[in-house]
Amino acid sequence: MKSQDTPFVGGPLDGRVLPVLLGITGHPPKTYRIPVPDTAGGPPTVHVYRRVDAGRSGVLHQLWRYEYAPDADPSRRLKWPWSKPGTRAGAGDPDAPDGQSATPPARPRPTDE
């Protein structure tokens, strides 16, 4: 797999350059999550970095860097185009607590009169 040395700006990784695996499109992931274990044995703290443009190297090679996003949501949720804001992926089944179904309501049929 290909990787790219990517600089990190802000947060606990400020000034470090780490190799980040590239996806199928040749780009690193849009967000980079770093779990830091709790010394007391509690849930880990997750630091989130967002990918931003860092210019170009040559004609076609895109450069990226990660900037610390302290206000970002550390959880990973799938965002589908047909989902309403604030709903989870997979919601919409008839057994869901909100009672909505994935099937659209029936439209009245036109008459032939």
Side-chain angles (χ1 to χ4, degrees):
M1 296 199 76
K2 289 183 87 176
S3 65
Q4 178 180 353
D5 289 337
T6 309
F8 286 77
V9 178
L13 294 179
D14 189 26
R16 294 189 188 194
V17 178
L18 300 176
V20 176
L21 291 175
L22 303 179
I24 195 167
T25 60
H27 299 290
K30 289 182 180 180
T31 58
Y32 197 83
R33 292 170 176 79
I34 302 163
V36 178
D38 187 27
T39 56
T45 303
V46 179
H47 297 287
V48 180
Y49 286 83
R50 287 195 179 117
R51 181 185 76 186
V52 295
D53 185 14
R56 293 196 179 273
S57 170
V59 177
L60 297 175
H61 189 71
Q62 178 74 39
L63 296 177
W64 303 100
R65 73 171 185 235
Y66 283 103
E67 290 185 354
Y68 184 60
D71 58 337
D73 184 15
S75 65
R76 301 180 99 178
R77 291 188 204 129
L78 293 174
K79 294 183 182 176
W80 300 103
W82 55 84
S83 298
K84 293 181 182 177
T87 60
R88 297 181 307 130
D93 54 317
D95 298 330
D98 59 357
Q100 295 180 355
S101 173
T103 308
R107 290 190 224 153
R109 297 182 69 154
T111 58
D112 294 331
E113 293 181 48

